[in-house]
Amino acid sequence: MITGRTNVFGIMGDPVEHSLSPPMHNAAFKKLGMDSVYVPFHVKKGEIGAAIQGALAMGIKGLNLTIPHKTSVMEHLDELDHAAELIGAVNTVKFNNGAKGYNTDGRGAVRAIEEVTPVKNKKVVILGAGGAARAVSFQILLEGAGEVVIANRTVEKAKALRNDLVSNLDANVKSSDLDLEVIGEIQDADILINTTPIGMYPNIDDEPLVSADVMHENLVVNDIVYNPFETGLLKEAKKAGARVVPGTKMLIYQGVEAFKIWTGVEAPVDVFEKALMKELGLGEEL
């Protein structure tokens, strides 16, 4: 039962009603017997500053941010975690004598991949150069990846992200197109990550950016798209004998990371996963 002592957490976005975070967090609170609740807050574009002040005033303990607030929220926070500052986006806020912003998206992707293989000293090819690519590429380099290749249809965007990574982290980063150039990079890569929406529902019949004949059996392939559970890219990866990491894993681990930031408690990953799969109607995939 919710009382005046219940700790309140939530997610702010526009839209927010279809967020998959409340089922995961509330299942974990229930499992751990914590007097806490996680709720969605519909906050329109331009109103995030007032919403953060309101959350502080009401004693809300922590928030997630989704579209369109991940960058605009930053000017309303008192402090930024190093990774969030580099990435230039915040998806998690902790309230404790002020508001501190974090980005758990990249860390979620890394933890998902590290279920299968360590990222340290590995060569990683990232498809896309948008916000998700930025979060993943900064975090994977912070975690010790040896080389990163940013491949994008608009090569100028790939070069811009590459330059930002190099100037901030002095890392080994290349930019590439999505045609012949990227094929050579993938053939000797250890990890391939798709951060584009190609193949996302309802466009599940989109041709994958990379086909099986370009991949190899020692490759680990992660698609951050989680609907459908098995994207065209992951189907191609399986044909090549590569190991696959579905997009649900990043979604789970970004939530697990936020849970620990707020509570100091390691979240039960299996509980997060079961709640998410149930919400997606994919219980049989477990």
Side-chain angles (χ1 to χ4, degrees):
M1 187 175 75
I2 297 171
T3 71
R5 291 185 296 273
T6 301
N7 291 316
V8 179
F9 302 87
I11 181 167
M12 291 182 173
D14 181 22
V16 78
E17 60 269 19
H18 300 303
S19 172
L20 295 165
S21 293
M24 293 193 292
H25 286 278
N26 285 320
F29 289 141
K30 183 178 179 181
K31 176 72 173 179
L32 296 172
M34 299 171 73
D35 186 7
S36 300
V37 66
Y38 184 108
V39 294
F41 297 104
H42 184 196
V43 176
K44 293 180 181 175
K45 187 174 182 179
E47 295 181 356
I48 191 63
I52 292 293
Q53 287 303 309
L56 265 167
M58 291 190 294
I60 288 172
K61 302 298 182 185
L63 290 171
N64 283 135
L65 285 307
T66 186
I67 294 170
H69 305 309
K70 287 187 178 185
T71 54
S72 57
V73 73
M74 295 174 72
E75 63 186 274
H76 304 289
L77 304 176
D78 301 299
E79 191 180 353
L80 291 174
D81 174 70
H82 180 55
E85 195 166 13
L86 287 172
I87 293 164
V90 163
N91 78 326
T92 301
V93 175
K94 181 177 181 178
F95 296 106
N96 184 17
N97 299 320
K100 182 173 181 178
Y102 300 80
N103 191 306
T104 68
D105 285 331
R107 184 67 191 130
V110 171
R111 281 192 66 176
I113 291 162
E114 289 196 325
E115 275 195 358
V116 177
T117 184
V119 301
K120 192 170 178 63
N121 300 323
K122 298 293 176 68
K123 177 175 178 177
V124 184
V125 175
I126 296 174
L127 306 177
R134 187 176 177 84
V136 171
S137 58
F138 267 104
Q139 192 68 50
I140 215 158
L141 284 165
L142 288 169
E143 300 286 339
E147 179 184 351
V148 167
V149 179
I150 307 293
N152 197 57
R153 278 196 176 125
T154 309
V155 180
E156 289 71 24
K157 281 190 74 177
K159 286 178 179 174
L161 178 52
R162 179 255 171 209
N163 292 342
D164 211 3
L165 290 161
V166 170
S167 63
N168 279 286
L169 298 178
D170 190 26
N172 183 4
V173 187
K174 293 191 222 173
S175 56
S176 164
D177 60 32
L178 283 174
D179 299 315
L180 286 175
E181 193 176 356
V182 78
I183 291 172
E185 300 292 355
I186 291 169
Q187 286 172 343
D188 68 347
D190 301 296
I191 299 166
L192 173 67
I193 306 171
N194 175 48
T195 68
T196 77
I198 300 295
M200 182 188 291
Y201 180 85
N203 303 310
I204 60 173
D205 294 323
D206 284 351
E207 188 174 333
L209 292 173
V210 179
S211 57
D213 60 340
V214 176
M215 303 185 212
H216 56 85
E217 62 182 10
N218 295 318
L219 190 66
V220 172
V221 181
N222 172 218
D223 196 333
I224 72 166
V225 171
Y226 58 81
N227 186 9
F229 181 76
E230 187 175 69
T231 61
L233 181 71
L234 296 186
K235 287 176 182 174
E236 290 296 306
K238 284 184 175 179
K239 284 184 200 171
R243 290 173 291 172
V244 302
V245 181
T248 50
K249 294 289 186 179
M250 175 179 169
L251 191 58
I252 290 160
Y253 278 118
Q254 63 79 27
V256 164
E257 289 288 321
F259 191 97
K260 184 164 186 190
I261 287 167
W262 297 324
T263 67
V265 175
E266 285 287 351
V269 176
D270 61 327
V271 172
F272 264 69
E273 185 161 28
K274 283 175 184 169
L276 175 61
M277 292 306 211
K278 182 180 178 184
E279 203 67 18
L280 291 172
L282 292 168
E284 70 277 4
E285 301 288 353
L286 280 173

